[in-house]
Amino acid sequence: IPFGLNVEPKQGMAMCTQDGKNGEKVGDVLRYSSQWTMGLPRGNGLVSTAASFSGAIGWQCSLFDVANANTWEEMVEALVSNTDQRTDEVLLIFERKVEVSE
């Protein structure tokens, strides 16, 4: 997996197995990732409508819901779609258990 992210499938979730340089901690659960896919332009404007009719297909960024992945490989594909040629940043959203002291 790119970006030095250390996640593995545990208890049906993508769980961090090592602390990372970007703030992720052991036990954090990856919930969403940016993902690049090919598709028709989105929107309701004249340009997007014309592009759709002409078959203009291009790269589009969206959020990938890790919990809805059918396989581990599908989640990995979403992560590795964030290549240097498409973007210079990757969005990862984690869930972290917070200890509450009384």
Side-chain angles (χ1 to χ4, degrees):
I1 297 178
F3 346 112
L5 181 64
N6 294 295
V7 293
E8 293 179 8
K10 291 188 175 189
Q11 303 167 3
M13 298 178 280
M15 195 169 292
C16 285
T17 57
Q18 292 181 0
D19 291 352
K21 64 179 181 175
N22 294 309
E24 62 273 16
K25 301 282 184 198
V26 171
D28 287 356
V29 177
L30 179 60
R31 293 297 183 186
Y32 293 92
S33 168
S34 52
Q35 167 184 271
W36 290 85
T37 56
M38 292 294 285
L40 293 171
R42 292 179 247 172
N44 296 325
L46 179 62
V47 173
S48 62
T49 301
S52 294
F53 280 112
S54 69
I57 295 176
W59 288 105
Q60 299 177 357
C61 187
S62 61
L63 275 180
F64 179 78
D65 186 347
V66 175
N68 289 334
N70 295 315
T71 64
W72 180 254
E73 289 74 23
E74 187 178 354
M75 190 271 308
V76 171
E77 285 178 24
L79 286 171
V80 299
S81 71
N82 293 282
T83 65
D84 291 339
Q85 294 81 16
R86 295 182 198 127
T87 185
D88 61 353
E89 60 186 17
V90 178
L91 176 67
L92 301 172
I93 300 175
F94 291 93
E95 175 183 328
R96 179 175 296 160
K97 190 175 190 175
V98 178
E99 299 295 326
V100 179
S101 60
E102 293 181 30

